[in-house]
Amino acid sequence: MHWVDVYAEQLLGRGKKHFVESGTSISGEPHLGSAEDLIISDGIAKAIIEKGGECKAIWAMDDLDGLRKIPKQLPKEFEDYLGQPAFKLPCPDGCCASFADHFTRPFLENLARIDVKPEPVSVAKMYQDGKYDNVVRIAMDRAAEITAIIKEVSGSDRGDDWLPFFPICENCGRILTTQAYAWDGQRISYRCKGGIAGKNFIKGCGHEGAVGIRQGKLPWRVEWASRWSHLGVTFEPMGKDLMASGGTYETGKAICERIFNSPAPLAVPYEWIVIEGGKRLGKSAGRILTIGELIDIATPEIARYFFFRSKPTSHKDIDFGLGITKLAEEYEIAERTYFGQDMGLPEKEIEDVKRNYTASQISGIPERLSQVSYSHLISTVQVTNDWDHILEKLARTDDISGMTQAEEQRLKVKVEAVKTWLATHAPEDMKFQLQAEHPEIEISAEEKAILAKLLGKLEKAEWTAEKLHDSIHTTAVESGIKAGAMFNLMYRIFLNRTKGPRLGYLLASLDREFVVERVRHFST
RNA sequence: GGGCCUGUAGCUCAGCUAGGUGGAGCACCCGGCUCUUAACCGGGGAGUCAAGGGUUCGAAUCCCUUCAGGCCCGCCA
């Protein structure tokens, strides 16, 4: 059984109503790994619903977290904001209501393109609206027990005076720099003494004061537990780093059960996405890879497929170069398998492969197979840019007659994806440019004779990829030159380079008049 | 010291939830296509399922132990 169904059935065994939470901290643009969390949630949620259960999905924007370091793409002025909660920061480009919006809006918009649409919730707003009042009071009243639980589970001793609350300093607006030291049942007293953020120390302003329970936040381990409890979260995907013994999940679970008297959610651990065979995203990658980029070059369905084809616990190596064509090919095999074509897969695998396909769909499962392969489009879109011409050319080599509007729309999206891939990530040797004008190249007398010989064949040949390929090959044999030299010659006069896509398909997608004219020109 | 995950063909991995003759793709070898690109078609060799033990009529699968790799176990998230 596919893993989404395994989780769904396990959860349905516990109850019919489910609630999945995902959370993302806002310290710049969320990368592909942050999206993984939400996509896993979505797959399981949909499986629960298909099996007759209910499942709500919520996405917590952790905009109350302090800014710990300045994201690379931000100007230096943001240093002043270090330690301040993300919701208070301005939009770096002045285009959005806030820093948090600026980075999360494209993230959520891109997830919506693959039908991942959790209800977004601002954590800062939840505190401000008093949604956390209850849990903060409980946490403050029972601070000593919480300290004991953390010590018991994780081995870390916060000290007897520790209070599970970070006030926002009234003077400097920072949250990473404050230390709470007293709770009188209404207000929390604190000092702004400075705090550690990674390798950096963020200076406090020295202010001492007292704030109400809506002017700050619970520490992460406590907050997570409180969120599970008051929202009634039943499962939550989490990176495997949170699953260590004594780690965040274990402490949160103990706090959730013992302080808030709620069952902890089922943890769905997942592995990191890696690039280039092992580098972690975000950390060592020089560049942020986002879900939007993946969708842009792979199509929405193939982007989803990347996440569902393997278990959450296996490593996912993403390759935006040639790897995308492999991924697309694999998806296309799954699609043909779903529609009953025998792709030579072992019996045992077929059900899961079909499930990979259905889990990857975004607007219902198509009623019939209508597929033009990604690899074929790579060559087609380089011959022409125009949609009607693309259709016309595809019609010569693929059966695309009688496409429904939905099918045409999907093809359009795929064509755009291929174009984007070619423009951004394709290796150079996959690219070519059909020469609209005669390229300025030297053609020897012998080559001219060969082209003249070919010309006669082209004028009469049936205009299919196979026949054209044959004509070219026969000409080479008759002229006593190697096939390779013949193909090389053809690429030169059409592409002004020495290699290219499969020539039969390329020529078949062009007009006979154009091809004949080009060959005639170089044969004299 | 502890935890989670991973270990299956040369490589990348599926199969493990619920035990029933070990699989796929790539690579390799042979043959074919008058066939250029990381092309196509047919066939083939491939393995102590990390190791050991246990349960069982039967174990890649369940249990225990060991080994190897990755990540994690101060704060913050």
Side-chain angles (χ1 to χ4, degrees):
Chain A
M1 203 193 293
H2 194 275
W3 60 268
V4 294
D5 297 314
V6 172
Y7 276 114
E9 290 192 1
Q10 190 180 343
L11 285 160
L12 286 168
R14 297 180 178 189
K16 211 177 167 193
K17 285 191 167 186
H18 288 279
F19 199 108
V20 59
E21 189 213 350
S22 302
T24 307
S25 67
I26 314 302
S27 51
E29 191 171 1
H31 59 63
L32 203 51
S34 310
E36 181 180 14
D37 201 300
L38 283 115
I39 294 166
I40 291 170
S41 299
D42 183 69
I44 300 174
K46 288 200 167 108
I48 288 174
I49 292 164
E50 270 172 37
K51 292 174 200 299
E54 293 172 32
C55 190
K56 273 195 197 169
I58 200 169
W59 175 71
M61 169 166 76
D62 284 311
D63 53 354
L64 205 43
D65 297 345
L67 184 68
R68 303 165 55 72
K69 60 176 185 195
I70 304 168
K72 276 177 194 159
Q73 64 269 45
L74 291 192
K76 256 202 148 182
E77 292 88 85
F78 270 79
E79 270 182 27
D80 294 343
Y81 296 112
L82 276 179
Q84 293 198 26
F87 83 93
K88 295 185 82 174
L89 273 45
C91 172
D93 292 344
C95 55
C96 302
S98 74
F99 179 87
D101 279 354
H102 182 73
F103 290 118
T104 58
R105 207 179 54 191
F107 181 60
L108 291 175
E109 282 171 1
N110 279 314
L111 284 166
R113 290 167 70 195
I114 51 173
D115 200 36
V116 176
K117 297 170 179 168
E119 182 190 337
V121 168
S122 152
V123 172
K125 196 161 183 307
M126 284 173 84
Y127 275 91
Q128 285 157 9
D129 291 352
K131 298 264 169 59
Y132 270 92
D133 284 2
N134 258 339
V135 290
V136 174
R137 278 180 201 287
I138 294 171
M140 298 308 286
D141 289 342
R142 302 178 68 179
E145 287 171 75
I146 291 176
T147 309
I149 290 173
I150 293 176
K151 190 174 176 184
E152 177 197 323
V153 178
S154 77
S156 134
D157 191 356
R158 310 278 148 133
D160 293 340
D161 306 331
W162 185 75
L163 287 174
F165 197 81
F166 292 106
I168 300 171
C169 178
E170 300 147 287
N171 183 51
C172 70
R174 295 194 170 83
I175 192 168
L176 287 180
T177 51
T178 59
Q179 186 178 44
Y181 63 88
W183 159 244
D184 63 6
Q186 290 301 321
R187 298 176 78 74
I188 296 139
S189 306
Y190 69 93
R191 287 182 202 95
C192 187
K193 53 178 286 209
I196 295 165
K199 287 173 192 159
N200 305 319
F201 180 80
I202 300 174
K203 274 195 207 164
C205 66
H207 183 75
E208 279 202 45
V211 293
I213 56 173
R214 295 182 184 178
Q215 270 74 55
K217 73 184 289 285
L218 297 166
W220 163 245
R221 285 168 200 253
V222 183
E223 167 160 331
W224 214 22
S226 69
R227 214 186 279 172
W228 292 339
S229 160
H230 91 261
L231 294 175
V233 176
T234 58
F235 71 102
E236 173 154 354
M238 54 192 79
K240 61 170 188 173
D241 55 329
L242 305 178
M243 296 295 288
S245 153
T248 320
Y249 176 69
E250 225 173 77
T251 355
K253 181 171 155 57
I255 293 171
C256 190
E257 288 167 353
R258 294 196 230 160
I259 303 292
F260 299 113
N261 288 316
S262 300
L266 176 74
V268 178
Y270 61 87
E271 263 286 355
W272 317 111
I273 295 172
V274 296
I275 54 168
E276 292 164 22
K279 286 192 212 159
R280 260 187 77 175
L281 275 178
K283 271 195 173 169
S284 47
R287 214 165 54 79
I288 294 170
L289 301 178
T290 66
I291 185 66
E293 277 182 89
L294 178 60
I295 299 170
D296 287 345
I297 62 173
T299 79
E301 287 86 357
I302 295 172
R304 273 183 80 98
Y305 178 78
F306 173 73
F307 294 94
F308 289 116
R309 64 171 175 166
S310 59
K311 288 179 296 192
T313 48
S314 37
H315 289 267
K316 292 175 191 64
D317 200 339
I318 185 81
D319 171 8
F320 276 26
L322 220 39
I324 289 294
T325 65
K326 294 249 180 201
L327 182 66
E329 210 169 288
E330 201 185 304
Y331 173 81
E332 285 153 6
I333 287 173
E335 182 165 61
R336 296 206 291 275
T337 303
Y338 177 81
F339 286 102
Q341 290 191 14
D342 181 9
M343 301 306 294
L345 295 173
E347 197 64 34
K348 272 173 128 181
E349 257 183 61
I350 290 178
E351 283 314 306
D352 277 353
V353 166
K354 288 182 178 177
R355 190 68 175 104
N356 285 339
Y357 176 71
T358 56
S360 305
Q361 298 310 303
I362 52 164
S363 45
I365 298 161
E367 284 174 11
R368 56 168 204 173
L369 181 65
S370 170
Q371 185 186 81
V372 180
S373 83
Y374 194 95
S375 336
H376 184 50
L377 289 176
I378 290 174
S379 115
T380 312
V381 306
Q382 293 188 87
V383 173
T384 178
N385 221 351
D386 179 84
W387 174 245
D388 289 329
H389 284 173
I390 289 175
L391 280 187
E392 199 187 310
K393 289 172 196 325
L394 286 178
R396 295 178 190 164
T397 46
D398 285 80
D399 181 18
I400 56 165
S401 56
M403 271 197 300
T404 64
Q405 269 198 328
E407 285 163 355
E408 184 167 336
Q409 186 52 35
R410 268 201 304 278
L411 179 59
K412 217 170 211 165
V413 169
K414 198 168 191 177
V415 163
E416 284 311 309
V418 170
K419 284 187 190 171
T420 307
W421 180 75
L422 282 164
T424 56
H425 293 89
E428 282 309 310
D429 59 2
M430 298 287 286
K431 297 186 202 173
F432 66 87
Q433 178 99 50
L434 181 68
Q435 304 293 304
E437 305 296 325
H438 302 143
E440 294 188 17
I441 49 173
E442 295 293 324
I443 297 292
S444 70
E446 192 197 355
E447 286 170 336
K448 283 181 182 172
I450 293 167
L451 289 173
K453 210 174 273 179
L454 176 65
L455 188 61
K457 293 193 170 66
L458 290 180
E459 282 167 336
K460 295 181 300 221
E462 195 186 322
W463 209 249
T464 63
E466 204 181 328
K467 298 287 184 209
L468 289 170
H469 193 103
D470 278 350
S471 307
I472 291 156
H473 208 276
T474 316
T475 307
V477 171
E478 287 172 5
S479 315
I481 62 164
K482 285 189 176 171
M486 181 71 208
F487 283 101
N488 178 298
L489 172 61
M490 293 298 282
Y491 288 128
R492 273 154 57 212
I493 67 173
F494 284 96
L495 308 178
N496 195 14
R497 47 178 284 174
T498 55
K499 286 192 170 186
R502 301 180 72 173
L503 196 53
Y505 287 98
L506 176 65
L507 295 185
S509 71
L510 301 173
D511 295 328
R512 187 195 296 262
E513 298 73 45
F514 177 85
V515 173
V516 166
E517 191 281 332
R518 180 62 52 94
V519 172
R520 179 178 291 126
H521 175 85
F522 283 102
S523 65
T524 53

